[in-house]
Amino acid sequence: MTYLFFDLECANNFGGIGKICSFGYVLCNQDFSIIESEDLLMNPDAPFDWYLFSKNAKCKLAYRREDYIANPKFSQYYSKIKSLLEAKDRLIFGFGCLNDVATIACECIRYGTKLIDFECHDIHNALEKFYETKGSLGSFIEKFGIDTHGMEFHDSKADATFTMLVTQQLLKDAEKPIKELLSPFRPLSSRDLKHTKIKKLYANYLERKDAAKNKGSDGKPPRPLKKVTVPKDFDAQRELLFELELQAKENK
């Protein structure tokens, strides 16, 4: 059994669609001895949110804009990321990672690749349950007195390392197997989140179609996703790329 801890950073999340600019991970054994660790910087093929490079940003990217752009796109890292996340006899972890799992599924739609099909355990839930306190990754790092020298938050590899370290401390304090601590919580499924994203894309398509037909918004609230049935011939990739094109125009 091996453990993989990962974290993403995105160039922007306009329209609820993340465009990955880094994938950081730490692979270790059950004793938390690190096997390998890396931060995969990538060209997001999308504009960066200006706020991420602002001096006052609470969530500031760890590298310069040009450092990301100089690297390959997600499609060129796809095989490596897929092998990391789909390996047998491996538990995948993140911290507050719902959006990270959804973003990987969305990037697979965007680049027309087969889904990276995996489940991820959000260790945040287990931490809050055991310690009976709400907290960010940073607050748990501070609570445990973990040394952060030489590492920065919002550096994907550093955040993956921090997630591993708080998990290690949780197991030490709880004195229980990891699977027992995770058992009350349902893991996040990239398959489920891809399905949700496609339903949202189809709902957006229908609303845009209705608006064009009615020559503007009719003031109705968005369709509940539970009532949306996606036809088999719906081209999710084309719709996603169209939405990204609109976003690029709006954020020039």
Side-chain angles (χ1 to χ4, degrees), residues 7-26:
D7 179 72
L8 304 180
E9 296 298 333
C10 290
N12 73 65
N13 283 283
F14 301 148
I17 303 170
K19 298 84 176 176
I20 302 173
C21 61
S22 68
F23 177 97
Y25 70 91
V26 179

Side-chain angles (χ1 to χ4, degrees), residues 201-225:
L201 289 169
Y202 186 61
N204 292 350
Y205 164 77
L206 292 177
E207 287 168 16
R208 191 172 64 252
K209 188 176 179 180
D210 288 347
K213 183 178 179 181
N214 298 323
K215 296 182 180 180
S217 173
D218 56 9
K220 292 182 180 179
R223 287 175 172 79
L225 290 187

Side-chain angles (χ1 to χ4, degrees), residues 76-136:
Q76 291 172 266
Y77 287 117
Y78 169 81
S79 295
K80 181 175 181 63
I81 295 172
K82 181 178 173 67
S83 66
L84 286 168
L85 294 174
E86 291 188 351
K88 292 181 180 180
D89 202 25
R90 177 170 295 171
L91 291 179
I92 312 296
F93 297 91
F95 187 99
C97 53
L98 172 63
N99 287 337
D100 287 352
V101 178
T103 296
I104 289 174
C106 198
E107 290 286 55
C108 290
I109 298 172
R110 179 185 176 196
Y111 287 96
T113 61
K114 186 177 179 181
L115 175 69
I116 298 176
D117 194 354
F118 70 104
E119 290 186 340
C120 180
H121 299 277
D122 191 342
I123 201 64
H124 192 190
N125 298 322
L127 285 161
E128 290 191 337
K129 180 177 175 61
F130 179 77
Y131 294 104
E132 298 182 339
T133 183
K134 300 289 184 181
S136 64

Side-chain angles (χ1 to χ4, degrees), residues 137-207:
L137 180 57
S139 66
F140 280 108
I141 288 290
E142 184 176 358
K143 175 182 177 67
F144 299 148
I146 294 172
D147 183 13
T148 63
H149 180 72
M151 295 187 286
E152 296 181 36
F153 288 102
H154 305 301
D155 173 313
S156 293
K157 187 175 78 169
D159 282 351
T161 302
F162 293 147
T163 303
M164 179 192 72
L165 293 172
V166 297
T167 302
Q168 185 178 17
Q169 186 65 47
L170 171 62
L171 290 179
K172 181 180 178 181
D173 291 345
E175 298 181 335
K176 294 180 180 179
I178 186 64
K179 290 187 177 181
E180 183 177 339
L181 294 170
L182 296 173
S183 62
F185 311 104
R186 183 180 178 182
L188 298 163
S189 162
S190 64
R191 184 182 294 270
D192 290 346
L193 291 170
K194 178 185 178 182
H195 182 63
T196 300
K197 173 54 69 176
I198 289 175
K199 289 181 75 172
K200 177 61 176 172
L201 289 169
Y202 186 61
N204 292 350
Y205 164 77
L206 292 177
E207 287 168 16

